Amino acid sequence: MISAVHAGTSRSLLLARLTDARSRTDALFDLVSPARLSERPIPERHRFVFYLGHLEAFDWNLLRPRIDSRRAASELDALFAFGIDPVGGGLPDEAASAWPDLARIRAYNDDVRHTLDALLPNALDAERFGEHRDDASTAFLVDVAIEHRLMHAETLAYMINQSSVARRIRHTVPAPPVERRNELVRIPAGEATLGVDRDARVFAWDNEHDAHRVAVPEFAISRCMIDNGAFLEFVEDAGYATREWWSDADWAWRERNRVSHPAFWVELDRRWYWKSLTELIPLPHDWPVYVSHAEASAYARWAGLALPTEAEWHRAAYGTPDGVERAYPWGPAAPDARRGNFDFRSWEPRSVDAHRDGDSAFGVRGLVGNGWEWTSTTFAPFPGFEPFSFYPGYSADFFDGQHYVAKGGSALTAAPMLRRSFRNWFQPHYPYVYAGFRCVAR
Ligand SMILES: [Fe+2]
């Protein structure tokens, strides 16, 4: 049973958040010209065009049972229903011509939005806003639609980084190299609370329940995320060619795909550039490096260190010397621009050393925003986990030991998903996400 959760939240605020989420994905699709919609910049994902229809189809399939609509079913409802996350092969390979033309998708999207906007207010009122029927209120499902869309906004963005949209070179004079030290910060032994209470009055996905406490032995963790400059040392030290830094599976992936540098980097005329959303820019050494779990693990081994566990990351981020845990690394205040690089304020990363006002109680910097952070913890259910009845595979399909938890959020992570209990997860051989890492010593 999912508790009713929207006390103090008005219906109009919820619907305004849905409208705002639509504007985020619309703005990103505006970067992709119609001619590029059939591109598939990441082999594991669909062509851009799928996502254009998927967001509306998902909202419709989720919310249709809650509204009194006479809208006729469309074959696009099913065509655009599901995304993919293939493990071990089985990449999508349909022809571009398998998808409807742009005008038809736009008409479908307009129809779905119009119908939902016309009927959702009544549906929300009918359940006396905030109450639930069946096992999830309509308001809760609108939150599901919002977070689903915002997560796709981030996915869409990193697909654009890998596409042909931005291949113009920005000619800037590179900043002179700065001597940087990313020292390890000691975190004393203590407890970390993972997850969130089922009766907490906040939206949470199924994998965030139940809250539980974990003992964490003393460790030390990088003050800042590993940046491009530090990772370049690993690259130049033949890190990608040195077998001993890689696990068997990670080495096999690296060999099979001839991976020799981060997916966000490109080498032109013996110079490194970074693939932004709009152009190629000289590699910013002080931005966090974005790499796969496999590459992060290899770097950590090369450095004589390791990736943090999910519990260690929590302890470094939310723990305090007096044992009280914080809602955010900096304290109870809601996320704002001073605390970190998140919530679409920028479409690019910033220095790993920026945002000192976001430091944790232990002085660890940049934990929330500016890039997800890999942990060494495989994605698995917390004690008391129950799948959502309306979306049973959302998390459970990925409890396969082949996905790792990432925490923290990126520049394109919406503010609600910066909550402490939010967990992201990816395959270890997926290098396209805005995900970096820091290291620990134990
Ligand atoms: Fe989706």
PDB file of all heavy atoms in Angstrom, residues 349-374:
ATOM      1  N   PRO A 349      28.863  20.632 -16.934  1.00  0.00           N
ATOM      2  CA  PRO A 349      29.451  20.486 -15.596  1.00  0.00           C
ATOM      3  C   PRO A 349      30.203  21.748 -15.174  1.00  0.00           C
ATOM      4  O   PRO A 349      30.370  22.683 -15.958  1.00  0.00           O
ATOM      5  CB  PRO A 349      30.432  19.315 -15.775  1.00  0.00           C
ATOM      6  CG  PRO A 349      30.095  18.687 -17.079  1.00  0.00           C
ATOM      7  CD  PRO A 349      29.470  19.747 -17.922  1.00  0.00           C
ATOM      8  N   ARG A 350      30.645  21.748 -13.947  1.00  0.00           N
ATOM      9  CA  ARG A 350      31.496  22.824 -13.436  1.00  0.00           C
ATOM     10  C   ARG A 350      32.672  22.172 -12.721  1.00  0.00           C
ATOM     11  O   ARG A 350      32.746  20.959 -12.565  1.00  0.00           O
ATOM     12  CB  ARG A 350      30.723  23.702 -12.448  1.00  0.00           C
ATOM     13  CG  ARG A 350      29.566  24.401 -13.092  1.00  0.00           C
ATOM     14  CD  ARG A 350      29.164  25.650 -12.311  1.00  0.00           C
ATOM     15  NE  ARG A 350      27.940  26.205 -12.912  1.00  0.00           N
ATOM     16  CZ  ARG A 350      26.770  26.282 -12.288  1.00  0.00           C
ATOM     17  NH1 ARG A 350      26.682  25.904 -11.022  1.00  0.00           N
ATOM     18  NH2 ARG A 350      25.718  26.758 -12.904  1.00  0.00           N
ATOM     19  N   SER A 351      33.587  23.005 -12.255  1.00  0.00           N
ATOM     20  CA  SER A 351      34.742  22.489 -11.528  1.00  0.00           C
ATOM     21  C   SER A 351      34.304  21.589 -10.366  1.00  0.00           C
ATOM     22  O   SER A 351      33.305  21.875  -9.692  1.00  0.00           O
ATOM     23  CB  SER A 351      35.568  23.665 -10.980  1.00  0.00           C
ATOM     24  OG  SER A 351      36.527  23.184 -10.061  1.00  0.00           O
ATOM     25  N   VAL A 352      35.059  20.532 -10.129  1.00  0.00           N
ATOM     26  CA  VAL A 352      34.734  19.646  -9.002  1.00  0.00           C
ATOM     27  C   VAL A 352      34.894  20.366  -7.663  1.00  0.00           C
ATOM     28  O   VAL A 352      34.399  19.910  -6.639  1.00  0.00           O
ATOM     29  CB  VAL A 352      35.628  18.374  -8.988  1.00  0.00           C
ATOM     30  CG1 VAL A 352      35.360  17.509 -10.211  1.00  0.00           C
ATOM     31  CG2 VAL A 352      37.107  18.735  -8.889  1.00  0.00           C
ATOM     32  N   ASP A 353      35.594  21.496  -7.701  1.00  0.00           N
ATOM     33  CA  ASP A 353      35.895  22.228  -6.474  1.00  0.00           C
ATOM     34  C   ASP A 353      34.899  23.368  -6.230  1.00  0.00           C
ATOM     35  O   ASP A 353      35.007  24.082  -5.239  1.00  0.00           O
ATOM     36  CB  ASP A 353      37.315  22.799  -6.605  1.00  0.00           C
ATOM     37  CG  ASP A 353      37.911  23.152  -5.276  1.00  0.00           C
ATOM     38  OD1 ASP A 353      37.562  22.487  -4.286  1.00  0.00           O
ATOM     39  OD2 ASP A 353      38.711  24.106  -5.229  1.00  0.00           O
ATOM     40  N   ALA A 354      33.943  23.555  -7.127  1.00  0.00           N
ATOM     41  CA  ALA A 354      32.983  24.657  -6.975  1.00  0.00           C
ATOM     42  C   ALA A 354      31.993  24.319  -5.855  1.00  0.00           C
ATOM     43  O   ALA A 354      31.958  23.201  -5.349  1.00  0.00           O
ATOM     44  CB  ALA A 354      32.248  24.872  -8.293  1.00  0.00           C
ATOM     45  N   HIS A 355      31.206  25.265  -5.468  1.00  0.00           N
ATOM     46  CA  HIS A 355      30.089  25.034  -4.545  1.00  0.00           C
ATOM     47  C   HIS A 355      30.532  24.563  -3.167  1.00  0.00           C
ATOM     48  O   HIS A 355      30.065  23.533  -2.675  1.00  0.00           O
ATOM     49  CB  HIS A 355      29.095  24.038  -5.157  1.00  0.00           C
ATOM     50  CG  HIS A 355      28.542  24.499  -6.468  1.00  0.00           C
ATOM     51  ND1 HIS A 355      27.800  25.648  -6.615  1.00  0.00           N
ATOM     52  CD2 HIS A 355      28.670  23.988  -7.716  1.00  0.00           C
ATOM     53  CE1 HIS A 355      27.475  25.803  -7.881  1.00  0.00           C
ATOM     54  NE2 HIS A 355      27.994  24.825  -8.573  1.00  0.00           N
ATOM     55  N   ARG A 356      31.415  25.321  -2.557  1.00  0.00           N
ATOM     56  CA  ARG A 356      31.820  24.963  -1.188  1.00  0.00           C
ATOM     57  C   ARG A 356      30.653  25.050  -0.211  1.00  0.00           C
ATOM     58  O   ARG A 356      30.687  24.420   0.850  1.00  0.00           O
ATOM     59  CB  ARG A 356      32.969  25.868  -0.737  1.00  0.00           C
ATOM     60  CG  ARG A 356      34.211  25.591  -1.569  1.00  0.00           C
ATOM     61  CD  ARG A 356      35.360  26.519  -1.336  1.00  0.00           C
ATOM     62  NE  ARG A 356      36.372  26.175  -2.352  1.00  0.00           N
ATOM     63  CZ  ARG A 356      37.671  26.160  -2.118  1.00  0.00           C
ATOM     64  NH1 ARG A 356      38.144  26.466  -0.928  1.00  0.00           N
ATOM     65  NH2 ARG A 356      38.506  25.826  -3.074  1.00  0.00           N
ATOM     66  N   ASP A 357      29.621  25.829  -0.561  1.00  0.00           N
ATOM     67  CA  ASP A 357      28.443  25.914   0.315  1.00  0.00           C
ATOM     68  C   ASP A 357      27.639  24.616   0.311  1.00  0.00           C
ATOM     69  O   ASP A 357      26.669  24.492   1.057  1.00  0.00           O
ATOM     70  CB  ASP A 357      27.524  27.064  -0.126  1.00  0.00           C
ATOM     71  CG  ASP A 357      28.121  28.415   0.219  1.00  0.00           C
ATOM     72  OD1 ASP A 357      29.041  28.471   1.058  1.00  0.00           O
ATOM     73  OD2 ASP A 357      27.677  29.417  -0.370  1.00  0.00           O
ATOM     74  N   GLY A 358      28.053  23.678  -0.525  1.00  0.00           N
ATOM     75  CA  GLY A 358      27.375  22.385  -0.540  1.00  0.00           C
ATOM     76  C   GLY A 358      28.155  21.309   0.198  1.00  0.00           C
ATOM     77  O   GLY A 358      27.775  20.137   0.172  1.00  0.00           O
ATOM     78  N   ASP A 359      29.250  21.695   0.869  1.00  0.00           N
ATOM     79  CA  ASP A 359      30.079  20.699   1.574  1.00  0.00           C
ATOM     80  C   ASP A 359      29.276  19.933   2.623  1.00  0.00           C
ATOM     81  O   ASP A 359      28.378  20.487   3.265  1.00  0.00           O
ATOM     82  CB  ASP A 359      31.256  21.388   2.280  1.00  0.00           C
ATOM     83  CG  ASP A 359      32.379  21.757   1.322  1.00  0.00           C
ATOM     84  OD1 ASP A 359      32.198  21.606   0.106  1.00  0.00           O
ATOM     85  OD2 ASP A 359      33.433  22.204   1.815  1.00  0.00           O
ATOM     86  N   SER A 360      29.646  18.675   2.818  1.00  0.00           N
ATOM     87  CA  SER A 360      29.036  17.876   3.886  1.00  0.00           C
ATOM     88  C   SER A 360      29.666  18.261   5.221  1.00  0.00           C
ATOM     89  O   SER A 360      30.635  19.030   5.272  1.00  0.00           O
ATOM     90  CB  SER A 360      29.246  16.386   3.618  1.00  0.00           C
ATOM     91  OG  SER A 360      30.564  15.998   3.987  1.00  0.00           O
ATOM     92  N   ALA A 361      29.124  17.704   6.293  1.00  0.00           N
ATOM     93  CA  ALA A 361      29.651  18.016   7.636  1.00  0.00           C
ATOM     94  C   ALA A 361      31.115  17.624   7.758  1.00  0.00           C
ATOM     95  O   ALA A 361      31.857  18.210   8.549  1.00  0.00           O
ATOM     96  CB  ALA A 361      28.819  17.298   8.695  1.00  0.00           C
ATOM     97  N   PHE A 362      31.539  16.633   6.972  1.00  0.00           N
ATOM     98  CA  PHE A 362      32.935  16.196   7.030  1.00  0.00           C
ATOM     99  C   PHE A 362      33.802  16.943   6.017  1.00  0.00           C
ATOM    100  O   PHE A 362      34.977  16.620   5.847  1.00  0.00           O
ATOM    101  CB  PHE A 362      33.020  14.687   6.769  1.00  0.00           C
ATOM    102  CG  PHE A 362      32.364  13.851   7.837  1.00  0.00           C
ATOM    103  CD1 PHE A 362      31.267  13.054   7.533  1.00  0.00           C
ATOM    104  CD2 PHE A 362      32.835  13.872   9.154  1.00  0.00           C
ATOM    105  CE1 PHE A 362      30.658  12.280   8.520  1.00  0.00           C
ATOM    106  CE2 PHE A 362      32.225  13.098  10.139  1.00  0.00           C
ATOM    107  CZ  PHE A 362      31.134  12.309   9.823  1.00  0.00           C
ATOM    108  N   GLY A 363      33.212  17.910   5.300  1.00  0.00           N
ATOM    109  CA  GLY A 363      33.998  18.696   4.349  1.00  0.00           C
ATOM    110  C   GLY A 363      34.166  18.041   2.991  1.00  0.00           C
ATOM    111  O   GLY A 363      35.055  18.408   2.228  1.00  0.00           O
ATOM    112  N   VAL A 364      33.309  17.068   2.677  1.00  0.00           N
ATOM    113  CA  VAL A 364      33.364  16.438   1.356  1.00  0.00           C
ATOM    114  C   VAL A 364      32.538  17.304   0.397  1.00  0.00           C
ATOM    115  O   VAL A 364      31.427  17.727   0.731  1.00  0.00           O
ATOM    116  CB  VAL A 364      32.841  14.987   1.412  1.00  0.00           C
ATOM    117  CG1 VAL A 364      32.966  14.321   0.046  1.00  0.00           C
ATOM    118  CG2 VAL A 364      33.619  14.202   2.467  1.00  0.00           C
ATOM    119  N   ARG A 365      33.074  17.559  -0.786  1.00  0.00           N
ATOM    120  CA  ARG A 365      32.544  18.604  -1.679  1.00  0.00           C
ATOM    121  C   ARG A 365      31.872  18.013  -2.921  1.00  0.00           C
ATOM    122  O   ARG A 365      32.326  17.007  -3.463  1.00  0.00           O
ATOM    123  CB  ARG A 365      33.707  19.508  -2.108  1.00  0.00           C
ATOM    124  CG  ARG A 365      33.309  20.741  -2.906  1.00  0.00           C
ATOM    125  CD  ARG A 365      34.400  21.788  -2.804  1.00  0.00           C
ATOM    126  NE  ARG A 365      34.612  22.142  -1.417  1.00  0.00           N
ATOM    127  CZ  ARG A 365      35.776  22.573  -0.899  1.00  0.00           C
ATOM    128  NH1 ARG A 365      36.824  22.714  -1.678  1.00  0.00           N
ATOM    129  NH2 ARG A 365      35.864  22.870   0.377  1.00  0.00           N
ATOM    130  N   GLY A 366      30.825  18.706  -3.363  1.00  0.00           N
ATOM    131  CA  GLY A 366      30.235  18.370  -4.663  1.00  0.00           C
ATOM    132  C   GLY A 366      29.550  17.010  -4.695  1.00  0.00           C
ATOM    133  O   GLY A 366      29.544  16.327  -5.718  1.00  0.00           O
ATOM    134  N   LEU A 367      28.948  16.603  -3.583  1.00  0.00           N
ATOM    135  CA  LEU A 367      28.328  15.275  -3.527  1.00  0.00           C
ATOM    136  C   LEU A 367      27.005  15.227  -4.285  1.00  0.00           C
ATOM    137  O   LEU A 367      26.654  14.194  -4.860  1.00  0.00           O
ATOM    138  CB  LEU A 367      28.096  14.873  -2.061  1.00  0.00           C
ATOM    139  CG  LEU A 367      29.377  14.491  -1.301  1.00  0.00           C
ATOM    140  CD1 LEU A 367      29.255  14.822   0.177  1.00  0.00           C
ATOM    141  CD2 LEU A 367      29.675  13.010  -1.492  1.00  0.00           C
ATOM    142  N   VAL A 368      26.288  16.327  -4.267  1.00  0.00           N
ATOM    143  CA  VAL A 368      24.980  16.363  -4.926  1.00  0.00           C
ATOM    144  C   VAL A 368      25.073  17.289  -6.135  1.00  0.00           C
ATOM    145  O   VAL A 368      25.413  18.455  -6.012  1.00  0.00           O
ATOM    146  CB  VAL A 368      23.895  16.840  -3.931  1.00  0.00           C
ATOM    147  CG1 VAL A 368      22.599  17.130  -4.658  1.00  0.00           C
ATOM    148  CG2 VAL A 368      23.670  15.786  -2.855  1.00  0.00           C
ATOM    149  N   GLY A 369      24.797  16.748  -7.313  1.00  0.00           N
ATOM    150  CA  GLY A 369      24.904  17.524  -8.552  1.00  0.00           C
ATOM    151  C   GLY A 369      26.268  17.356  -9.203  1.00  0.00           C
ATOM    152  O   GLY A 369      27.172  16.717  -8.653  1.00  0.00           O
ATOM    153  N   ASN A 370      26.369  17.887 -10.448  1.00  0.00           N
ATOM    154  CA  ASN A 370      27.632  17.904 -11.202  1.00  0.00           C
ATOM    155  C   ASN A 370      28.082  16.528 -11.677  1.00  0.00           C
ATOM    156  O   ASN A 370      29.176  16.382 -12.199  1.00  0.00           O
ATOM    157  CB  ASN A 370      28.746  18.566 -10.386  1.00  0.00           C
ATOM    158  CG  ASN A 370      29.707  19.381 -11.248  1.00  0.00           C
ATOM    159  OD1 ASN A 370      29.329  19.860 -12.315  1.00  0.00           O
ATOM    160  ND2 ASN A 370      30.937  19.528 -10.805  1.00  0.00           N
ATOM    161  N   GLY A 371      27.264  15.521 -11.488  1.00  0.00           N
ATOM    162  CA  GLY A 371      27.607  14.168 -11.934  1.00  0.00           C
ATOM    163  C   GLY A 371      27.207  13.136 -10.891  1.00  0.00           C
ATOM    164  O   GLY A 371      27.469  13.317  -9.710  1.00  0.00           O
ATOM    165  N   TRP A 372      26.536  12.081 -11.368  1.00  0.00           N
ATOM    166  CA  TRP A 372      26.260  10.944 -10.486  1.00  0.00           C
ATOM    167  C   TRP A 372      27.582  10.357 -10.043  1.00  0.00           C
ATOM    168  O   TRP A 372      28.604  10.535 -10.706  1.00  0.00           O
ATOM    169  CB  TRP A 372      25.430   9.892 -11.238  1.00  0.00           C
ATOM    170  CG  TRP A 372      24.060  10.387 -11.568  1.00  0.00           C
ATOM    171  CD1 TRP A 372      23.667  10.983 -12.736  1.00  0.00           C
ATOM    172  CD2 TRP A 372      22.922  10.372 -10.718  1.00  0.00           C
ATOM    173  NE1 TRP A 372      22.340  11.336 -12.660  1.00  0.00           N
ATOM    174  CE2 TRP A 372      21.856  10.974 -11.430  1.00  0.00           C
ATOM    175  CE3 TRP A 372      22.684   9.917  -9.414  1.00  0.00           C
ATOM    176  CZ2 TRP A 372      20.581  11.119 -10.891  1.00  0.00           C
ATOM    177  CZ3 TRP A 372      21.413  10.061  -8.876  1.00  0.00           C
ATOM    178  CH2 TRP A 372      20.380  10.655  -9.609  1.00  0.00           C
ATOM    179  N   GLU A 373      27.555   9.623  -8.946  1.00  0.00           N
ATOM    180  CA  GLU A 373      28.798   9.019  -8.459  1.00  0.00           C
ATOM    181  C   GLU A 373      28.600   7.513  -8.308  1.00  0.00           C
ATOM    182  O   GLU A 373      27.673   7.059  -7.632  1.00  0.00           O
ATOM    183  CB  GLU A 373      29.198   9.658  -7.120  1.00  0.00           C
ATOM    184  CG  GLU A 373      29.433  11.156  -7.274  1.00  0.00           C
ATOM    185  CD  GLU A 373      30.077  11.791  -6.042  1.00  0.00           C
ATOM    186  OE1 GLU A 373      30.705  11.057  -5.251  1.00  0.00           O
ATOM    187  OE2 GLU A 373      29.945  13.013  -5.892  1.00  0.00           O
ATOM    188  N   TRP A 374      29.500   6.780  -8.938  1.00  0.00           N
ATOM    189  CA  TRP A 374      29.446   5.320  -8.869  1.00  0.00           C
ATOM    190  C   TRP A 374      29.738   4.836  -7.458  1.00  0.00           C
ATOM    191  O   TRP A 374      30.592   5.391  -6.770  1.00  0.00           O
ATOM    192  CB  TRP A 374      30.493   4.708  -9.790  1.00  0.00           C
ATOM    193  CG  TRP A 374      30.182   4.797 -11.247  1.00  0.00           C
ATOM    194  CD1 TRP A 374      30.848   5.548 -12.185  1.00  0.00           C
ATOM    195  CD2 TRP A 374      29.159   4.096 -11.950  1.00  0.00           C
ATOM    196  NE1 TRP A 374      30.277   5.363 -13.414  1.00  0.00           N
ATOM    197  CE2 TRP A 374      29.244   4.476 -13.302  1.00  0.00           C
ATOM    198  CE3 TRP A 374      28.170   3.185 -11.554  1.00  0.00           C
ATOM    199  CZ2 TRP A 374      28.386   3.974 -14.266  1.00  0.00           C
ATOM    200  CZ3 TRP A 374      27.316   2.693 -12.513  1.00  0.00           C
ATOM    201  CH2 TRP A 374      27.435   3.082 -13.846  1.00  0.00           C
TER     202      TRP A 374
END
